[in-house]
Amino acid sequence: MQNSEALALAAALLAAAGDLTQRINDGVVARGFEARPAWGFAFTRLAPDGATVTELAGHLGVTKQAASQLVDEIVRKGYAERRPHPVDARARLVVLTERGWACTRAAEEAAAEAVRSWIDVLGESDVRALCDRLGRIAPHGPIRPTW
């Protein structure tokens, strides 16, 4: 593969990721939730068992202070709450509230809608193949923004 082809592929993947992020966020907002894309990336780390601010900062690739500000905001909006950590008495665990889980379900619905539009363009078998191949390249994550 030529450098220009590799660059074109990288640009297409980044454009698809950016479009997908925006479409999911728009879908969450359309379902009645206040949201920002950064919250969705945080929610993927908080689900299913919660995380400390330090763990969330590592997941998002931000400072502890930035993660703490994000947590303050989602707690204030009712999407998460702080609880005592079950193992470390010095730490607090941030977990999704029922409102946070409902927002997460709305994001899943919006993601499914976005992927259905890919099926309209590529066909279901090609989208399944794309999913398989991308899974081989990036099998785990973390799913986080590229600040």
Side-chain angles (χ1 to χ4, degrees):
M1 180 176 270
Q2 298 291 321
N3 285 351
S4 60
E5 293 171 314
L7 181 59
L9 174 59
L13 286 169
L14 290 169
D19 179 65
L20 182 60
T21 300
Q22 189 61 54
R23 291 177 68 186
I24 292 170
N25 194 72
D26 291 348
V28 168
V29 170
R31 286 166 173 81
F33 295 93
E34 180 182 354
R36 295 186 309 137
W39 295 2
F41 290 108
F43 287 12
T44 64
R45 179 60 186 90
L46 297 178
D49 299 320
T52 65
V53 169
T54 300
E55 292 166 339
L56 186 59
H59 173 79
L60 294 174
V62 299
T63 64
K64 284 178 19 179
Q65 292 81 2
S68 183
Q69 288 176 348
L70 187 145
V71 167
D72 287 345
E73 185 175 13
I74 64 174
V75 165
R76 191 171 52 254
K77 303 278 184 183
Y79 292 100
E81 64 185 11
R82 291 179 179 91
R83 293 185 181 163
H85 196 283
V87 177
D88 184 351
R90 299 168 297 159
R92 303 281 288 164
L93 197 62
V94 181
V95 298
L96 295 176
T97 62
E98 183 50 45
R99 179 176 168 85
W101 283 110
C103 185
T104 299
R105 288 188 295 275
E108 289 172 358
E109 292 168 5
E113 284 178 4
V115 170
R116 277 194 291 277
S117 73
W118 295 354
I119 291 170
D120 293 342
V121 173
L122 300 175
E124 188 166 344
S125 63
D126 281 352
V127 171
R128 287 184 187 279
L130 175 63
C131 182
D132 175 65
R133 286 170 179 85
L134 289 174
R136 286 190 245 161
I137 294 168
H140 303 294
I143 300 171
R144 67 177 174 200
T146 53
W147 305 102

